[in-house]
Amino acid sequence: MVRGHQRSNRLQPGIRPRRRFRAAAAALAAVLAGGSLAGGLFIAPSAFADSWRDKEYWLNEYGISAAWQVSKGAGVKVAIIDSGVDGQHPDLKDAVVGGTDASGAGSPDGQKSIGSKPEHGTLVATLLAGRGHTPPSPSGAPASPSPAAGSIGSDGIVGVAPEAQILTVSAWLGSPNPAGKTDQEQIPEAVRWAVDNGAKVINISLGSTSPDWPQSWDAAFLYAEQKDVVVVAAAGNRIAGNVQVGAPATIPGVLTVAGLDRNRTASVDASSQGISIGVSAPSEQLVGGLPGGSYEDWAGTSGSAPIVSGVAALIRSKWPTMSAKQVINRIVSTAQDAGAPGKDPIYGYGILNAEAALKADVPEAQSNPLGSIADWIRVHRRGDLSTPTPLPTTKVSSSLPPLADPTVPVAKAPSEADTTVPAAVVVGFGVLFIAILAGATFQLRRAYRAPPKPVEATESGEVEVVDPSPPK
């Protein structure tokens, strides 16, 4: 299991990754998860936080700023299943309202950064629900208080849904977990906790190189579907080895997000492809916050996913009673078509249009356009969907009737009726054959007795038959 983001200095892999803090730069070594994460961190110049805000091109270019006229995500809880979210980051002040640890190696509140990419969860959280912060005064006095609820600070990262609330669920992924719990155990536990604690949207910026998922995940994602929760997942990155979309982004009903470059075309490195892709969003030249209060340039569908999760939060805030399938339908049906006409494995239904998703008239969908895990389980696992409980480990009896015991057919003597019809058929064919033979004999004898007609040559040398009988 790898995380769906990459560092942005992919053109210069030999450069050691470095971070620039406001006062000084600190050099750090990049931790690679089995070679699946590549490239170094882009070396950003020293700058105040407002320069980071200026880099958030997607806010205007993808209709997010215009969507804020309708909603900013107030009252919606979004769970982030990741490496942990630092709720003390200046741009996340009062944003994190709950959390837990699914790994056994983190802190009980889910805010300790863990795993092979400990900064990953905070990057995702600031992009999704950052509030920005108030800058310090020019005189060097202490910084002003954080912006009041409902307002956005002028500096730092502002997320797509700046009034949404974050639930952080820390998981140890990308390297051996010191607590021993595998991703097969952590992911379903994290999903269930998020659902039980009021999440209306779950963001999973994690992925794998396999399209298949453990059967142990079925019940958890079914539980989220039955409880009407929108689940958003990253498609993965080619540069990290995800040429095809991997689980959990392949699970039916999950809104899978592919990545775009700065020109709104499919990213070569920071995206993937597959039939489960629902929509595309920016994945290159992204920015986000790091644990401890600093910032970073980054890239990957790990950033595309929280942008879309933020739009889902805006919709659920505007229409609290709207079902998850309608939320997903609103996002994909208002996307700008790209690539091959209609849905395709590169862009999905198209490019995210946040303004249209919040303002357009969208017909009600009869079902989730991205499928249903319940239907999938019914077909492929033959699971019992009556209750959202984990699938039993013991053998489940099939709902189909059992096949009858095989038996050897017993021969029986033919009846009188069985023999009468075949005999009549044989006699009929015999009479017909005799009649045909007699007719043929009669014609042959007639032809033999008739006198031959004389022939003579014409002036052209051709031969023609001369009828000796006089004209009538």
Side-chain angles (χ1 to χ4, degrees):
M1 180 68 68
V2 297
R3 294 188 168 84
H5 89 288
Q6 64 182 82
R7 299 296 178 79
S8 59
N9 190 24
R10 49 186 168 79
L11 299 179
Q12 303 181 48
I15 297 179
R16 287 191 175 186
R18 291 187 295 172
R19 296 176 183 157
R20 286 280 185 176
F21 298 87
R22 290 184 194 169
L28 298 175
V31 181
L32 302 183
S36 59
L37 300 178
L41 175 63
F42 178 81
I43 303 175
S46 297
F48 288 104
D50 58 349
S51 67
W52 295 98
R53 175 74 58 82
D54 295 339
K55 295 180 179 181
E56 294 186 81
Y57 63 88
W58 52 91
L59 297 180
N60 291 325
E61 295 181 13
Y62 288 80
I64 295 166
S65 298
W68 288 343
Q69 298 169 2
V70 178
S71 170
K72 292 183 180 178
V76 177
K77 290 182 179 179
V78 182
I80 297 176
I81 300 175
D82 216 290
S83 64
V85 175
D86 178 14
Q88 300 305 309
H89 191 285
D91 297 342
L92 294 175
K93 185 71 173 176
D94 300 325
V96 179
V97 297
T100 191
D101 172 57
S103 71
S107 61
D109 62 1
Q111 295 195 37
K112 178 182 178 181
S113 301
I114 61 175
S116 65
K117 309 294 292 183
E119 74 280 9
H120 194 268
T122 305
L123 286 167
V124 169
T126 51
L127 201 56
L128 195 161
R131 281 123 160 83
H133 65 271
T134 304
S137 65
S139 62
S144 303
S146 296
S151 63
I152 299 173
S154 60
D155 279 17
I157 306 299
V158 58
V160 174
E163 294 181 9
Q165 299 172 323
I166 294 174
L167 298 174
T168 172
V169 187
S170 57
W172 191 293
L173 302 169
S175 63
N177 181 2
K181 293 179 69 174
T182 66
D183 56 358
Q184 295 190 26
E185 299 171 284
Q186 296 176 68
I187 297 301
E189 179 182 326
V191 170
R192 282 183 166 275
W193 184 93
V195 174
D196 289 339
N197 284 271
K200 302 303 292 181
V201 180
I202 296 176
N203 185 91
I204 308 178
S205 289
L206 311 166
S208 66
T209 56
S210 171
D212 301 318
W213 62 91
Q215 186 169 346
S216 61
W217 291 12
D218 286 359
F221 283 88
L222 172 62
Y223 188 48
E225 180 173 282
Q226 292 178 333
K227 293 295 184 179
D228 200 43
V229 178
V230 175
V231 181
V232 180
N237 308 315
R238 293 183 185 87
I239 199 170
N242 298 80
V243 178
Q244 296 287 332
V245 176
T250 51
I251 296 177
V254 171
L255 178 50
T256 299
V257 187
L260 304 171
D261 62 20
R262 191 64 178 80
N263 297 317
R264 297 170 66 92
T265 58
S267 174
V268 175
D269 293 337
S271 190
S272 185
Q273 67 184 58
I275 60 173
S276 63
I277 291 174
V279 72
S280 302
S283 66
E284 293 191 18
Q285 299 183 39
L286 305 177
V287 294
L290 295 171
S294 54
Y295 300 90
E296 177 176 283
D297 291 280
W298 62 309
T301 56
S302 276
S304 309
I307 290 175
V308 174
S309 291
V311 174
L314 300 182
I315 296 172
R316 303 215 85 165
S317 176
K318 170 62 177 177
W319 296 285
T321 61
M322 182 176 287
S323 66
K325 68 182 179 182
Q326 301 301 341
V327 172
I328 293 174
N329 179 64
R330 180 167 279 272
I331 291 173
V332 300
S333 65
T334 57
Q336 178 188 344
D337 193 21
K343 188 176 186 296
D344 67 76
I346 303 294
Y347 295 91
Y349 285 92
I351 298 172
L352 177 71
N353 184 339
E355 182 178 12
L358 268 294
K359 296 181 178 180
D361 291 329
V362 178
E364 184 172 340
Q366 297 301 314
S367 60
N368 186 335
L370 300 177
S372 165
I373 183 63
D375 293 342
W376 190 92
I377 292 173
R378 187 178 293 110
V379 172
H380 297 277
R381 311 282 200 207
R382 295 183 181 178
D384 180 7
L385 307 182
S386 58
T387 56
T389 55
L391 295 178
T393 56
T394 57
K395 185 178 180 180
V396 180
S397 61
S398 173
S399 59
L400 299 176
L403 296 174
D405 294 334
T407 56
V408 178
V410 178
K412 64 176 182 177
S415 65
E416 186 176 348
D418 296 332
T419 59
T420 301
V421 174
V425 172
V426 172
V427 172
F429 273 107
V431 173
L432 179 63
F433 177 75
I434 292 172
I436 294 172
L437 183 62
T441 302
F442 175 78
Q443 292 295 330
L444 287 172
R445 286 180 178 179
R446 183 179 179 184
Y448 179 76
R449 290 175 181 176
K453 294 181 179 181
V455 297
E456 62 180 20
T458 64
E459 294 180 359
S460 62
E462 296 178 349
V463 176
E464 67 176 357
V465 178
V466 179
D467 189 350
S469 59
K472 296 181 180 179

